[in-house]
Amino acid sequence: MTTSSEPTPRRVAFIGLGVMGGPMAGHLAAAGHDVTVYNRTRATAQAWCDTHGGRLADTPAEAARDAELVFACVGRDEDLRAVTLEADGAFETLGSGAVFVDHTTVSAEIARELADAARSRGAGFVDAPVSGGQAGAENGRLAVMAGGSEADFAAAEPVIQVYSARVVHIGEAGAGQLTKMVNQICIAGLVQALSEGVDFAGRAGLDIERVLEAIGGGAAQSWQMDNRARTMAEGEFDFGFAVDWMRKDLEICMAEARRNGATLPVTALVDQFYGQVQARGGGRNDTSSLIRLLSQP
């Protein structure tokens, strides 16, 4: 029986079942929601259904039909446009009163475009990019930054909470994506600084565990230090948020900066470093692999 602390079961669709979307949709199913899924690679969607139940749709339009909430977590602007506005896209069947929630990290422009398109159908839209990586998705501990109207956010938030540790409404459509850009700008500089610090400690002959114990409770502490410093020192990078995706995100950040006049010198430099990691074949490694440019110049 549903208690006051549990969201009422809803008819939901989830489009995109990658390393983020798959676990997020799994949390929705585990919470008792009626989930229909679509994934470009059908075998992935079938495997998800075999594990979690739910229904498999052949198109985004089929997935969205009769859904109260439609979630998406795909790749880039063009991928999101394909599953929403193009033939057999979710907006073909998005019902009046439904809310489309996009968890993809994309441009603020497409967020506003989709908000307008949803509104023309009598539906709602929330741009809700996430932070926390694959582990955050699997553990239901994501940080979600949301843009959209108060009403649309209120309709979506109780369901988003199922896989989130924090959900914050920032402002109107596009504000969630702009906040995600701030997040990625901050992370880029942190990872580079942490790479330099860990490499310096190693070259100085220090015990990295004792170094982290000493500085981890002070002003240098960060999520990146807590979760990546040790694996950096050990040369482990086959996990986490891929360099390829970080470069995609930083491209979005710098394009927006050109529009709003912001100056991002550190972000631009770190983006170049990530380009070097890609050129060495490390595009699928975790973003903490930046340290390789220092340890293996």
Side-chain angles (χ1 to χ4, degrees), residues 122-154:
F125 178 85
V126 176
D127 55 297
V130 303
S131 182
Q134 183 176 351
E138 291 173 349
N139 296 324
R141 301 291 297 168
L142 291 169
V144 183
M145 48 221 83
S149 72
E150 291 279 359
D152 292 344
F153 176 74

Side-chain angles (χ1 to χ4, degrees), residues 11 64-69 90-100 118-124 152:
R11 294 188 309 276
R65 185 175 287 112
D66 299 324
E68 299 171 84
L69 291 159
F91 279 35
E92 285 188 1
T93 57
L94 188 67
S96 177
V99 177
F100 190 96
R119 192 176 302 113
S120 72
R121 299 187 59 86
D152 292 344

Side-chain angles (χ1 to χ4, degrees), residues 71 76 84 98 176 180 208 260 279:
F71 298 86
R76 302 173 182 270
T84 53
K180 180 60 183 286
I208 190 65
N260 69 21

Side-chain angles (χ1 to χ4, degrees), residues 193-229:
L194 185 59
S195 297
E196 294 178 14
V198 171
D199 181 70
F200 180 95
R203 293 177 185 275
L206 299 175
D207 182 323
I208 190 65
E209 286 293 336
R210 293 194 176 192
V211 170
L212 295 175
E213 181 183 359
I215 70 174
Q221 187 275 337
S222 68
W223 185 97
Q224 296 292 335
M225 177 178 289
D226 291 346
N227 291 275
R228 295 292 183 262

Side-chain angles (χ1 to χ4, degrees), residues 8 17 33 40 69 74 134-135 138 140 148 170 196 224 253 283:
T8 302
L17 301 173
H33 296 291
R40 183 169 53 185
L69 291 159
V74 289
Q134 183 176 351
E138 291 173 349
I170 306 297
E196 294 178 14
Q224 296 292 335
C253 295

Side-chain angles (χ1 to χ4, degrees), residues 24-135:
M24 293 159 76
H27 287 296
L28 294 178
H33 296 291
D34 181 2
V35 186
T36 299
V37 297
Y38 168 81
N39 194 72
R40 183 169 53 185
T41 303
R42 183 181 175 85
T44 300
Q46 184 61 64
W48 187 94
C49 288
D50 291 344
T51 300
H52 300 284
R55 290 182 299 278
L56 187 157
D58 290 325
T59 66
E62 181 184 337
R65 185 175 287 112
D66 299 324
E68 299 171 84
L69 291 159
V70 181
F71 298 86
C73 190
V74 289
R76 302 173 182 270
D77 282 30
E78 55 267 32
D79 302 314
L80 182 58
R81 186 170 281 108
V83 300
T84 53
L85 302 178
E86 294 183 5
D88 293 322
F91 279 35
E92 285 188 1
T93 57
L94 188 67
S96 177
V99 177
F100 190 96
V101 180
D102 177 39
H103 287 307
T104 317
T105 297
V106 289
S107 68
E109 284 77 14
I110 193 170
R112 298 182 187 114
E113 177 185 351
L114 293 181
D116 289 342
R119 192 176 302 113
S120 72
R121 299 187 59 86
F125 178 85
V126 176
D127 55 297
V130 303
S131 182
Q134 183 176 351

